[in-house]
Coordinates of all heavy atoms in Angstrom, one line a residue:
Chain A
P1498 N 86.0 220.9 57.5 CA 84.7 220.8 57.9 C 84.4 221.4 59.3 O 83.5 222.2 59.6 CB 84.2 219.5 57.7 CG 85.0 218.9 56.7 CD 86.4 219.6 56.9
N1502 N 82.0 224.5 60.4 CA 80.9 224.6 61.3 C 81.1 225.5 62.4 O 80.1 226.2 62.9 CB 80.7 223.1 62.0 CG 80.2 222.1 61.0 OD1 79.8 222.5 59.9 ND2 80.3 220.8 61.3
P1578 N 72.4 216.2 71.7 CA 73.6 216.0 72.3 C 74.8 216.6 71.6 O 75.9 216.6 72.2 CB 73.8 214.4 72.3 CG 72.4 213.9 71.9 CD 71.8 215.0 71.1
Q1582 N 79.4 217.8 72.6 CA 80.6 217.4 72.1 C 81.6 218.5 71.9 O 82.7 218.3 71.4 CB 80.4 216.6 70.7 CG 79.6 215.3 70.8 CD 79.4 214.7 69.5 OE1 79.7 215.2 68.4 NE2 78.9 213.5 69.6
A1666 N 69.0 211.1 76.6 CA 68.2 210.0 76.6 C 68.6 208.8 77.6 O 67.8 208.2 78.2 CB 68.0 209.5 75.2
R1707 N 55.3 262.6 53.8 CA 54.7 263.8 54.3 C 53.3 263.7 54.6 O 52.4 264.5 54.3 CB 54.9 265.0 53.2 CG 56.3 265.4 53.1 CD 56.6 266.1 51.8 NE 58.1 266.5 51.8 CZ 59.0 265.6 51.5 NH1 58.6 264.3 51.2 NH2 60.2 265.8 51.5
K1708 N 53.0 262.4 55.3 CA 51.7 262.2 55.7 C 51.7 261.3 56.9 O 52.7 260.5 57.0 CB 51.1 261.3 54.5 CG 49.7 261.1 54.3 CD 49.4 260.5 53.0 CE 48.2 259.6 53.0 NZ 48.4 258.3 53.5
F1711 N 49.5 255.8 58.6 CA 48.1 255.2 58.4 C 47.8 254.2 59.6 O 48.7 253.3 59.8 CB 47.9 254.6 57.1 CG 46.6 254.1 56.9 CD1 45.7 254.9 56.3 CD2 46.2 252.8 57.1 CE1 44.4 254.5 56.0 CE2 44.9 252.3 56.9 CZ 44.0 253.2 56.3
G1712 N 46.7 254.4 60.2 CA 46.4 253.4 61.3 C 47.3 253.1 62.4 O 47.7 252.0 62.7
S1715 N 46.0 250.6 64.9 CA 45.9 249.2 64.4 C 47.4 248.8 64.3 O 47.6 247.6 64.4 CB 45.1 249.2 63.1 OG 45.8 249.7 62.1
T1737 N 59.8 218.2 61.9 CA 60.4 216.9 61.5 C 60.8 216.1 62.8 O 61.3 215.1 62.6 CB 61.6 217.0 60.6 OG1 62.7 217.7 61.3 CG2 61.3 217.8 59.3
V1738 N 60.5 216.7 64.0 CA 61.1 215.9 65.2 C 60.2 214.8 65.6 O 60.5 214.0 66.5 CB 61.3 216.8 66.4 CG1 62.3 217.8 66.1 CG2 60.0 217.4 66.9
G1739 N 58.9 214.6 64.9 CA 58.0 213.6 65.2 C 57.1 214.0 66.3 O 56.9 213.3 67.2
Q1745 N 51.3 219.2 65.5 CA 51.8 219.8 64.2 C 50.6 220.7 63.7 O 50.9 221.8 63.2 CB 52.0 218.7 63.2 CG 53.2 217.9 63.6 CD 53.7 216.9 62.6 OE1 53.6 217.4 61.4 NE2 54.0 215.6 62.9
M1753 N 50.3 230.1 60.6 CA 49.7 230.9 59.5 C 49.0 232.1 59.9 O 48.9 233.1 59.2 CB 48.7 229.9 58.8 CG 49.3 228.7 58.1 SD 48.1 227.4 57.7 CE 47.4 228.1 56.3
F1764 N 50.3 246.4 54.7 CA 49.3 247.2 54.0 C 49.2 248.7 54.6 O 49.0 249.6 53.8 CB 47.9 246.6 54.3 CG 47.8 245.2 53.7 CD1 47.2 244.1 54.3 CD2 48.5 244.8 52.4 CE1 47.1 242.9 53.8 CE2 48.4 243.6 51.8 CZ 47.8 242.6 52.5
N1765 N 49.4 248.8 55.9 CA 49.4 250.1 56.5 C 50.5 251.0 56.0 O 50.2 252.2 55.8 CB 49.3 250.1 58.0 CG 48.0 249.7 58.6 OD1 47.1 249.2 57.9 ND2 47.8 250.0 59.8
M1770 N 52.0 255.5 52.3 CA 52.7 256.2 51.1 C 51.6 256.6 50.1 O 51.8 257.6 49.4 CB 53.6 255.1 50.4 CG 54.6 254.5 51.3 SD 55.9 253.6 50.4 CE 54.9 252.4 49.5
W1771 N 50.5 255.9 50.1 CA 49.4 256.2 49.2 C 48.9 257.7 49.3 O 48.5 258.1 50.3 CB 48.2 255.2 49.5 CG 47.3 255.2 48.4 CD1 46.1 255.8 48.3 CD2 47.4 254.5 47.0 NE1 45.5 255.5 47.0 CE2 46.2 254.7 46.4 CE3 48.3 253.6 46.6 CZ2 46.0 254.2 45.1 CZ3 48.1 253.1 45.3 CH2 47.0 253.3 44.6
K1772 N 49.0 258.3 48.1 CA 48.5 259.7 48.1 C 49.4 260.7 49.0 O 48.9 261.6 49.5 CB 47.0 259.9 48.4 CG 46.2 259.3 47.2 CD 44.8 260.0 47.4 CE 43.8 259.2 46.5 NZ 44.0 259.4 45.0
G1773 N 50.6 260.2 49.1 CA 51.5 261.1 49.9 C 52.2 261.9 48.9 O 51.9 262.0 47.7
A1774 N 53.3 262.7 49.4 CA 54.2 263.3 48.5 C 55.6 262.9 48.7 O 56.3 263.6 49.6 CB 54.1 264.9 48.6
M1775 N 56.0 261.8 48.1 CA 57.2 261.2 48.5 C 58.4 261.7 47.9 O 58.5 262.2 46.8 CB 57.1 259.7 48.1 CG 56.4 258.8 49.0 SD 56.5 257.1 48.5 CE 55.0 257.1 47.5
L1790 N 61.5 243.8 50.4 CA 62.4 242.6 50.4 C 61.9 241.8 51.7 O 61.8 240.5 51.8 CB 63.8 242.8 50.6 CG 64.3 243.5 49.3 CD1 65.8 243.8 49.4 CD2 64.1 242.6 48.1
I1803 N 53.3 226.1 56.0 CA 52.5 225.0 55.5 C 53.3 223.7 55.9 O 54.2 223.3 55.2 CB 52.3 225.1 54.0 CG1 51.7 226.5 53.6 CG2 51.4 223.9 53.5 CD1 50.3 226.7 54.2
A1804 N 52.9 223.0 56.9 CA 53.7 222.0 57.5 C 54.1 220.9 56.5 O 55.3 220.5 56.5 CB 52.9 221.3 58.7
I1808 N 58.1 220.2 55.5 CA 59.0 218.9 55.6 C 60.0 218.9 54.6 O 61.1 218.4 54.9 CB 58.0 217.7 55.7 CG1 57.3 217.8 57.1 CG2 58.8 216.4 55.4 CD1 56.1 216.7 57.2
Q1809 N 59.7 219.3 53.4 CA 60.6 219.4 52.4 C 61.6 220.6 52.5 O 62.8 220.5 52.3 CB 60.0 219.5 50.9 CG 59.4 218.3 50.5 CD 60.4 217.3 49.8 OE1 61.5 217.1 50.4 NE2 60.1 216.7 48.7
Y1810 N 61.0 221.7 53.0 CA 61.9 223.0 53.1 C 62.9 222.9 54.2 O 63.9 223.4 54.3 CB 61.0 224.2 53.3 CG 60.0 224.5 52.3 CD1 58.8 225.0 52.8 CD2 60.1 224.3 50.9 CE1 57.7 225.3 51.8 CE2 59.1 224.7 50.0 CZ 57.9 225.1 50.6 OH 56.9 225.4 49.7
H1811 N 62.5 222.2 55.3 CA 63.2 222.3 56.6 C 64.6 221.9 56.5 O 64.9 221.0 55.8 CB 62.5 221.3 57.6 CG 63.0 221.2 58.8 ND1 62.8 222.0 59.9 CD2 63.9 220.3 59.4 CE1 63.5 221.8 60.9 NE2 64.2 220.7 60.7
D1812 N 65.4 222.7 57.1 CA 66.9 222.5 57.2 C 67.5 222.5 55.8 O 68.6 221.9 55.6 CB 67.3 221.2 57.9 CG 67.6 221.5 59.4 OD1 67.9 222.6 59.7 OD2 67.4 220.5 60.2
L1876 N 65.2 224.4 47.4 CA 64.1 223.6 46.8 C 64.7 222.4 46.0 O 64.2 221.3 45.9 CB 63.3 224.5 45.9 CG 62.5 225.5 46.5 CD1 61.8 226.3 45.6 CD2 61.5 224.8 47.5
P1880 N 71.0 220.7 51.7 CA 70.8 220.9 53.1 C 71.7 222.1 53.6 O 72.6 222.5 52.9 CB 71.3 219.7 53.8 CG 71.7 218.7 52.6 CD 71.8 219.5 51.4
R1882 N 74.2 224.2 56.4 CA 75.2 223.9 57.2 C 76.1 222.8 56.7 O 76.6 221.9 57.5 CB 74.8 223.5 58.7 CG 74.1 224.7 59.4 CD 73.2 224.2 60.5 NE 72.9 225.2 61.5 CZ 72.1 225.1 62.5 NH1 71.5 224.0 62.7 NH2 71.8 226.2 63.3
D1885 N 80.5 221.4 51.9 CA 80.8 221.1 50.6 C 79.5 220.4 50.0 O 78.6 220.0 50.8 CB 81.9 220.0 50.6 CG 82.5 219.7 49.1 OD1 82.0 220.4 48.2 OD2 83.3 218.9 49.1
S1887 N 77.2 218.7 46.3 CA 77.3 218.0 45.1 C 77.3 219.0 43.9 O 76.9 220.1 44.1 CB 76.0 217.1 45.0 OG 76.1 216.4 43.8
Q1889 N 75.8 219.5 41.4 CA 74.6 220.0 40.7 C 74.2 221.4 41.3 O 73.5 222.2 40.7 CB 73.5 219.1 40.9 CG 73.2 218.8 42.4 CD 72.1 217.8 42.5 OE1 71.1 217.8 41.9 NE2 72.4 216.8 43.4
Chain B
M164 N 62.7 244.5 42.5 CA 62.3 243.4 43.3 C 61.2 242.5 42.7 O 61.3 241.3 42.6 CB 61.8 243.8 44.7 CG 62.8 244.2 45.6 SD 63.0 246.1 45.7 CE 64.2 246.5 44.6
D184 N 71.5 221.1 36.7 CA 72.4 222.1 37.3 C 71.7 223.4 37.7 O 72.1 224.1 38.6 CB 73.4 222.5 36.2 CG 74.6 221.4 36.2 OD1 74.4 220.5 36.9 OD2 75.5 221.7 35.6
M189 N 61.3 222.4 43.6 CA 61.2 221.2 44.3 C 60.9 220.0 43.3 O 60.1 220.2 42.4 CB 60.1 221.3 45.3 CG 59.9 220.2 46.3 SD 58.4 220.4 47.3 CE 58.8 221.7 48.4
H204 N 52.9 222.9 47.6 CA 54.0 223.9 47.5 C 53.7 224.9 46.4 O 53.9 226.1 46.6 CB 55.3 223.1 47.3 CG 56.3 223.9 46.7 ND1 57.1 224.9 47.2 CD2 56.9 223.8 45.3 CE1 58.0 225.4 46.3 NE2 57.8 224.7 45.3
F219 N 52.8 244.7 45.7 CA 53.8 245.4 45.1 C 53.3 246.3 44.0 O 53.9 247.3 43.8 CB 54.9 244.4 44.6 CG 55.7 243.6 45.5 CD1 56.4 242.5 45.3 CD2 55.6 244.1 47.0 CE1 57.1 241.8 46.2 CE2 56.3 243.3 47.9 CZ 57.1 242.3 47.5
Y224 N 52.8 251.6 42.1 CA 51.8 252.7 41.5 C 52.1 254.0 42.3 O 52.2 255.1 41.8 CB 50.4 252.2 41.6 CG 49.5 253.3 41.1 CD1 49.1 253.5 39.7 CD2 48.9 254.1 42.0 CE1 48.3 254.4 39.3 CE2 48.0 255.2 41.6 CZ 47.7 255.3 40.2 OH 46.9 256.3 39.8
S225 N 52.0 253.8 43.7 CA 52.2 254.8 44.6 C 53.6 255.5 44.5 O 53.7 256.7 44.4 CB 52.0 254.3 46.0 OG 52.1 255.3 47.0
H229 N 52.8 259.2 43.4 CA 52.6 259.9 44.6 C 54.0 260.5 45.1 O 54.3 260.4 46.2 CB 51.9 259.2 45.7 CG 50.5 258.6 45.3 ND1 50.1 257.5 45.7 CD2 49.6 259.1 44.4 CE1 48.9 257.2 45.1 NE2 48.6 258.2 44.3
K231 N 56.7 263.7 45.4 CA 56.7 265.2 45.5 C 57.2 265.9 44.2 O 56.7 266.9 43.8 CB 57.6 265.7 46.6 CG 57.4 267.0 47.2 CD 58.4 267.4 48.2 CE 58.2 268.8 48.5 NZ 59.4 269.4 49.2
A235 N 52.9 266.1 43.8 CA 51.8 265.5 44.5 C 51.6 266.3 45.9 O 52.6 266.8 46.4 CB 52.1 264.0 44.8
P237 N 50.2 265.9 49.7 CA 49.9 264.8 50.5 C 48.5 264.9 51.0 O 48.1 266.0 51.4 CB 50.9 265.0 51.7 CG 51.4 266.4 51.6 CD 51.3 266.8 50.1
A238 N 47.8 263.8 51.0 CA 46.4 263.7 51.6 C 46.7 263.6 53.1 O 47.8 263.6 53.5 CB 45.7 262.5 51.1
F240 N 44.4 261.7 55.2 CA 43.7 260.6 56.0 C 44.7 259.8 56.8 O 45.8 259.6 56.4 CB 42.9 259.7 55.0 CG 43.9 259.0 53.9 CD1 44.4 257.8 54.2 CD2 44.2 259.6 52.7 CE1 45.2 257.1 53.3 CE2 45.0 258.9 51.8 CZ 45.5 257.7 52.1
T241 N 44.3 259.3 57.9 CA 45.1 258.6 58.8 C 44.5 257.1 59.1 O 45.2 256.2 59.6 CB 45.3 259.2 60.2 OG1 44.1 259.5 60.8 CG2 46.1 260.5 60.0
E247 N 40.8 248.6 56.6 CA 41.4 247.7 57.5 C 40.7 246.3 57.7 O 41.4 245.3 57.8 CB 41.5 248.4 58.9 CG 42.3 249.6 58.8 CD 43.5 249.8 59.7 OE1 44.0 248.8 60.2 OE2 43.9 251.0 59.9
W250 N 41.5 244.2 54.5 CA 42.9 243.6 54.5 C 43.2 242.8 55.7 O 44.3 242.3 55.8 CB 44.0 244.5 54.0 CG 44.3 245.7 54.9 CD1 44.6 245.6 56.2 CD2 44.5 247.0 54.4 NE1 44.9 246.9 56.7 CE2 44.9 247.8 55.5 CE3 44.4 247.7 53.2 CZ2 45.2 249.1 55.5 CZ3 44.7 249.0 53.2 CH2 45.1 249.8 54.3
L258 N 44.1 232.0 54.1 CA 44.6 231.1 54.9 C 43.8 229.9 55.2 O 44.3 228.7 55.2 CB 45.0 231.7 56.4 CG 46.2 232.8 56.2 CD1 46.4 233.3 57.6 CD2 47.4 232.1 55.8
S265 N 46.3 221.4 53.5 CA 47.5 221.2 54.2 C 47.3 220.2 55.4 O 48.1 219.2 55.6 CB 48.1 222.5 54.9 OG 48.1 223.4 53.9
M269 N 48.8 216.3 55.7 CA 49.6 216.0 56.9 C 49.0 214.7 57.5 O 49.9 213.8 58.1 CB 49.5 217.1 57.9 CG 50.8 217.2 58.7 SD 51.1 219.0 59.1 CE 49.7 219.3 60.1
E273 N 51.3 211.1 58.1 CA 51.4 210.5 59.3 C 50.8 209.1 59.5 O 51.0 208.4 60.5 CB 50.9 211.4 60.5 CG 51.6 212.7 60.7 CD 52.9 212.5 61.3 OE1 53.1 211.6 62.2 OE2 53.9 213.3 60.9
Q288 N 77.4 209.0 63.8 CA 78.4 210.0 63.2 C 79.4 209.3 62.4 O 80.2 208.6 63.0 CB 79.0 210.8 64.4 CG 78.0 211.9 65.0 CD 78.6 212.5 66.1 OE1 79.2 211.9 67.0 NE2 78.5 213.9 66.3
L316 N 90.4 218.2 52.1 CA 91.0 219.6 51.6 C 92.2 219.3 50.9 O 93.2 218.6 51.4 CB 91.2 220.4 53.0 CG 91.8 221.7 52.9 CD1 90.8 222.7 52.1 CD2 92.1 222.3 54.3
Y328 N 79.1 213.1 43.1 CA 79.9 213.6 44.3 C 79.2 213.9 45.5 O 78.2 214.6 45.5 CB 80.7 214.8 43.8 CG 81.6 215.5 44.8 CD1 82.7 214.7 45.3 CD2 81.4 216.8 45.2 CE1 83.4 215.3 46.4 CE2 82.2 217.4 46.1 CZ 83.2 216.7 46.7 OH 84.1 217.2 47.6
L330 N 77.0 212.3 46.9 CA 75.7 211.8 47.0 C 75.7 210.3 46.7 O 74.7 209.7 46.2 CB 74.7 212.4 46.0 CG 74.3 213.9 46.3 CD1 73.5 214.6 45.2 CD2 73.8 214.0 47.7
D352 N 73.9 208.5 68.4 CA 74.7 209.4 69.1 C 74.0 210.9 69.2 O 73.4 211.1 70.1 CB 76.0 209.6 68.4 CG 76.0 209.4 66.8 OD1 75.2 210.1 66.2 OD2 76.8 208.7 66.3
W358 N 66.7 212.6 54.9 CA 66.0 213.4 53.9 C 66.2 212.8 52.5 O 67.4 212.8 52.0 CB 66.3 214.9 54.0 CG 65.7 215.8 53.1 CD1 64.5 215.6 52.4 CD2 66.2 217.0 52.5 NE1 64.1 216.6 51.7 CE2 65.1 217.5 51.7 CE3 67.3 217.7 52.7 CZ2 65.3 218.7 51.0 CZ3 67.5 219.0 52.0 CH2 66.5 219.4 51.2
P360 N 64.6 214.0 49.0 CA 63.6 214.9 48.4 C 62.6 214.2 47.5 O 61.4 214.6 47.5 CB 64.5 216.0 47.6 CG 65.8 215.9 48.3 CD 66.0 214.5 48.9
K365 N 61.4 213.6 55.4 CA 62.4 214.2 56.1 C 62.0 213.9 57.6 O 60.9 214.4 58.0 CB 62.7 215.7 55.9 CG 63.9 216.2 56.7 CD 64.0 217.6 56.4 CE 64.5 218.0 55.2 NZ 63.8 219.3 54.7
D367 N 63.6 213.4 61.7 CA 64.8 213.3 62.5 C 64.9 212.0 63.2 O 64.0 211.3 63.6 CB 64.6 214.4 63.7 CG 64.7 215.8 63.1 OD1 64.8 216.0 61.9 OD2 64.5 216.8 63.9
P370 N 68.4 210.2 69.3 CA 68.9 209.2 70.3 C 67.8 208.9 71.4 O 67.4 209.9 71.9 CB 70.2 209.8 70.9 CG 70.1 211.2 70.5 CD 69.3 211.3 69.3
N374 N 61.2 207.6 65.8 CA 60.3 208.2 64.9 C 59.8 207.4 63.7 O 60.6 206.5 63.2 CB 61.0 209.5 64.3 CG 60.8 210.7 65.2 OD1 59.7 210.7 66.0 ND2 61.7 211.6 65.1
Q389 N 70.4 213.5 51.7 CA 71.5 213.8 52.6 C 70.9 213.9 54.1 O 69.7 214.2 54.2 CB 72.2 215.1 52.3 CG 73.1 214.9 51.1 CD 73.9 216.2 50.7 OE1 73.2 216.9 49.9 NE2 74.9 216.5 51.2
A391 N 70.0 216.0 57.1 CA 69.5 217.3 57.0 C 69.7 218.1 58.4 O 69.5 219.3 58.5 CB 68.0 217.4 56.7
E392 N 70.1 217.4 59.4 CA 70.2 218.0 60.7 C 71.8 218.0 61.1 O 72.4 217.0 61.1 CB 69.5 217.3 61.9 CG 69.5 217.9 63.2 CD 69.0 219.4 63.2 OE1 67.8 219.5 62.9 OE2 69.7 220.3 63.7
G395 N 77.6 217.4 63.4 CA 79.0 217.4 63.7 C 79.9 217.6 62.4 O 79.3 217.9 61.3
M396 N 81.2 217.4 62.6 CA 82.1 217.6 61.6 C 81.8 217.1 60.2 O 81.9 217.9 59.2 CB 83.4 217.0 62.1 CG 84.6 217.2 61.3 SD 86.0 216.4 62.2 CE 85.8 214.7 61.9
H398 N 78.9 216.2 59.0 CA 77.4 216.2 58.6 C 77.2 216.3 57.1 O 76.2 215.7 56.7 CB 76.8 217.5 59.2 CG 75.6 218.0 58.7 ND1 74.5 217.2 58.7 CD2 75.2 219.2 58.2 CE1 73.4 217.8 58.2 NE2 73.9 219.1 57.9

Side-chain angles (χ1 to χ4, degrees):
Chain A
N1502 290 346
Q1582 297 179 351
R1707 290 164 183 76
K1708 197 166 147 279
F1711 183 90
S1715 69
T1737 63
V1738 300
Q1745 298 190 41
M1753 290 166 81
F1764 300 139
N1765 281 20
M1770 304 192 307
W1771 194 260
K1772 291 199 190 293
M1775 276 184 273
L1790 299 177
I1803 307 294
I1808 287 169
Q1809 286 278 44
Y1810 308 141
H1811 179 79
D1812 267 336
L1876 293 175
R1882 294 165 163 172
D1885 194 2
S1887 182
Q1889 61 185 313
Chain B
M164 281 104 264
D184 278 10
M189 190 187 281
H204 153 72
F219 291 166
Y224 178 86
S225 178
H229 305 144
K231 199 183 175 202
F240 62 88
T241 57
E247 306 238 16
W250 64 50
L258 291 176
S265 309
M269 214 147 59
E273 292 291 324
Q288 282 176 319
L316 181 61
Y328 177 60
L330 290 180
D352 35 51
W358 180 26
K365 186 186 286 137
D367 291 0
N374 267 334
Q389 281 175 275
E392 180 64 56
M396 189 170 75
H398 162 56

